[in-house]
Amino acid sequence: MTNSLIPRVFGAVAFFCTILLLLAPWRAYYAFLVPGDTSPFPTADQEHEDKSTIEAAYLLGVGKADITGPVVEINLMGYADTAQSGTGLRQRHPEHISQRVVYLVLDTQSGDLAVRNGILEGLKELGDEYSSYNEQTLAVTGTHSHSGPGAWLNYLLPQITSKGFDKDSYQAIVTGSLLAIRRAHQSLSPGTLLLGAGSASGISINRSPYAYLANPADERANYETDTDTDMTLLSFHDALSGKTRGVLTWLPVHGTSLYQNNTLVTGDNKGVAAYLLEETMRAENPDFIAGFSQSNVGDTTPNVLGAYCEDTGLPCKFDDSTCNNKTQGCHGRGPFFQFSDQGTRSCFEIGKRQSDAAYAILKGDNLAPLDSIVVSSVHNFVDLSNYTFVSPFNQSRELHTCSAALGYGFAGGTTDGPGAFDFAQGTNDTDDDSPALKNPLWRVARAFVHAPSDEQIKCQSPKPILLDVGAAKKPYAWSPNIVNIQTLRIGSLIIVVVPGEATTMSGRRWREAVAQSANNVLGIDSPRVVIGGPANTYAHYIATEEEYGVQRYEGASTLYGPHTLAAHINLTLTYLPYLDPSNELPALTGPQPPLNVNKSLSFITGVVVDNPPFFKSFGQSLTSPDPSKTHIAGEVVSAVFVGANPRNDFHLEDTFAAVEHYDSVAGKWTQIRSDRDWSLVYHWQRKSTILGTSEVRIDWEIEPNLNFNNRQLYRIRYYGDAKHIGGSITPFDGTSGTFYIGAPASNSIDIELTREARSSDRSIS
């Protein structure tokens, strides 16, 4: 078994809670005088050149922390594929936060009830200083990466493919989130918020256009595209230093650039985007933090070239995405699909396009200060198993929702991750020709979970119920019926925090309804509304009523029946008056959802013992890059070490792998890459389960932006931790042999430099 980790942010990034943004109203005036320039904001010189004082409207905090959990031997969350277990790391996962209101952007598949509760409990333990960060003000969102460790979600259904619940995986996210919040809190200082938007094309297409076309033609005519291609950006400017401290963006695109056969932990394309923008802004502000939040992501895909049949190269069937009546051969293609690299190049490209779009907005001229300093939030739990309400679209219709259920089209998968067996998208209860509906095995499986009642079947129609998960309670709840309803307000910006994946048209209807109501109810002249999610609880999808009728994957995964979207919009509008601080309204007391952290099953085996092979030692270098040649940009250099299981220590805020450069002037080695960098990839492979032996391979994809004017000396370092028979864990490290990158140098210099470097190596190893 091989396990890998792409940079410490899912895929080529590490698991961090990427950005914490803490907001509180703040009115203060600061003189900020610089010779020749009176403006503290470099991007708005012309606007402020006549002013010697500026208004800092908010108290802002930003923070980031590592949430990278187990990178090996744990199922990756997203594709629900039992074979997709971690084998290493390409990128660590950070977490980002934005009354104080706290907006967390986790490089995870979604926000989650158990994780959110763990964070809230941790905040209580931090004392009164952190009491402003509570159930009302905390939003926990995920970038929807499908390449992060799983086994941390609250409900049974997503735990099945990960062999249950893993407390270490869960705790890594909670601990990192709390650290990110603490860092943001400790960094609070006066500042200004600027809001803008810009084009971000070429990043996604609609993966279910057949369902999208079911929406009314006159509604579709209002939009040029079948996905949202404008990025919204909120920029955080420090009043004292004039620096941009961070940005928070919203743009929908699925975290599925990396394919189902990828086993490296990464943050997928949004993890790449955050990493690249932070690197770009590092010269201006080394502490700059970028948070790329997800939005109405449901029917989007980063595989922008479309879906094709693997055997013929022809487009997949339009209505159900099949090839020869089967889903397995239909796959979406990213920009560099022709490379056999599990989608790595395509992932980087889609991330880069998002980073470039954000940078263009940040440096453009359409950013404007928020025109109000109101900061408020509302949160409540609502049971959607049978919620009755008046339609927000048609006041003459009384609607109701259903207990959660998944349809046959859910098992058909998507063009990003096709399903199995004889299931297909677009299967509704009138499909007499559906092989899956005819297969008696699935009715037996359905009855094993929970046989739906006639009332439930009627309520969910035209969805043919495959899994009646809302009523399944043994051994504990399979899926949520009680969901989080939350909205945040920051001036004229309204953030609808969504517990699922809204489709493109669902998000558009939602934003339009909230914008109209915010104008009438809150008196906001020009409200800007964004969708943030999947957040707080993962309640699968939120399709429009028309898309639901088609029953492709998104409709089949819309849990609470055809009126799920209408219910969510009704509840958002019902609670909108709570965002006006002048209103005196009764406290919201919804039902409490079940917390399963301490009752969840786990069949995940722990690490028993690590042993080196006979006559070897932990960290010993087994192979190294060729020292006799000069390596160049574009090459991949690798080193293999005697390893140990990385589940022994996650190295949070640290690294498993590093590249070091030898400074011949200072006479010492300096780390220039860690496993947060996309270019450094950590692979772990179990050699013998019985003997407890393993190997680690570290690959460095040499980037072209290094200074190669002179031939320079490098080496690769590995950091590990070995578990012994008695249970104790001992850290160790190892280094590869030295190697050169750059232009050739004379033999005499080579020999002297190598000799000096080896001497230095002995002194620090």
Side-chain angles (χ1 to χ4, degrees), residues 82 118 258 293 300 472 539 559 569 690 694 760:
T82 56
L258 290 158
S293 184
T300 67
L559 291 181
I569 294 176
I690 296 174
S694 62
S760 175

Side-chain angles (χ1 to χ4, degrees), residues 220-369:
R220 290 186 279 110
N222 295 326
Y223 307 97
E224 294 181 358
T225 61
D226 56 7
T227 59
D228 289 338
T229 59
D230 280 348
M231 175 183 286
T232 300
L233 182 144
L234 187 64
S235 176
F236 295 73
H237 288 268
D238 186 69
L240 300 179
S241 68
K243 294 180 179 179
T244 302
R245 299 184 61 191
V247 297
L248 186 57
T249 75
W250 290 269
L251 179 77
V253 56
H254 247 89
T256 51
S257 288
L258 290 158
Y259 298 143
Q260 206 165 341
N261 60 352
N262 167 64
T263 58
L264 297 177
V265 168
T266 82
D268 211 272
N269 55 67
K270 286 193 178 291
V272 171
Y275 168 74
L276 291 177
L277 187 59
E278 289 175 357
E279 290 297 305
T280 300
M281 293 294 293
R282 196 167 300 283
E284 294 183 30
N285 179 7
D287 299 319
F288 177 89
I289 294 175
F292 283 76
S293 184
Q294 196 53 266
S295 191
N296 48 321
V297 65
D299 51 0
T300 67
T301 175
N303 295 310
V304 293
L305 299 185
Y308 292 83
C309 298
E310 290 185 341
D311 54 353
T312 66
L314 298 174
C316 305
K317 191 178 176 185
F318 185 64
D319 58 348
D320 62 5
S321 298
T322 60
C323 300
N324 298 318
N325 297 319
K326 294 186 177 181
T327 64
Q328 289 81 358
C330 176
H331 285 94
R333 294 178 174 180
F336 295 103
F337 77 95
Q338 65 269 33
F339 291 92
S340 181
D341 62 356
Q342 297 81 48
T344 301
R345 287 176 177 83
S346 292
C347 180
F348 189 87
E349 176 63 23
I350 296 297
K352 183 178 183 299
R353 293 178 189 181
Q354 291 178 75
S355 175
D356 290 347
Y359 186 78
I361 299 169
L362 181 61
K363 296 301 180 180
D365 56 7
N366 69 345
L367 285 176

Side-chain angles (χ1 to χ4, degrees), residues 528-703:
R528 179 72 65 84
V529 183
V530 296
I531 302 292
N536 295 336
T537 294
Y538 185 63
H540 294 260
Y541 281 69
I542 305 170
T544 68
E545 184 175 353
E546 295 85 354
E547 292 164 351
Y548 184 92
V550 176
Q551 281 296 297
R552 278 180 62 92
Y553 180 83
E554 295 79 19
S557 303
T558 296
L559 291 181
Y560 310 110
H563 308 305
T564 298
L565 171 63
H568 276 288
I569 294 176
N570 168 272
L571 288 163
T572 302
L573 300 184
T574 298
Y575 296 151
L576 210 59
Y578 283 84
L579 298 181
D580 184 346
S582 66
N583 288 337
E584 294 186 7
L585 299 169
L588 297 170
T589 55
Q592 290 300 305
L595 287 167
N596 300 321
V597 172
N598 294 322
K599 64 174 70 170
S600 289
L601 300 173
S602 181
F603 300 95
I604 301 167
T605 56
V607 180
V608 178
V609 68
D610 292 292
N611 286 308
F614 295 117
F615 311 114
K616 303 287 185 182
S617 58
F618 288 117
Q620 183 174 340
S621 177
L622 300 177
T623 66
S624 294
D626 187 349
S628 66
K629 65 175 289 189
T630 299
H631 302 275
I632 60 174
E635 284 188 44
V636 177
V637 292
S638 301
V640 178
F641 302 88
V642 176
N645 198 310
R647 290 167 61 197
N648 294 326
D649 189 315
F650 297 158
H651 285 226
L652 294 174
E653 302 292 309
D654 205 342
T655 187
F656 290 120
V659 174
E660 297 176 340
H661 169 250
Y662 184 69
D663 186 335
S664 59
V665 176
K668 65 177 183 180
W669 289 96
T670 302
Q671 180 177 305
I672 63 164
R673 295 287 183 272
S674 71
D675 62 22
R676 77 173 288 274
D677 293 295
W678 182 264
S679 59
L680 194 63
V681 188
Y682 169 96
H683 303 265
W684 179 84
Q685 183 176 25
R686 168 69 69 195
K687 303 302 290 185
S688 171
T689 301
I690 296 174
L691 298 177
T693 56
S694 62
E695 289 181 0
V696 164
R697 190 183 85 242
I698 299 172
D699 298 334
W700 181 26
E701 302 162 359
I702 305 172
E703 311 96 312

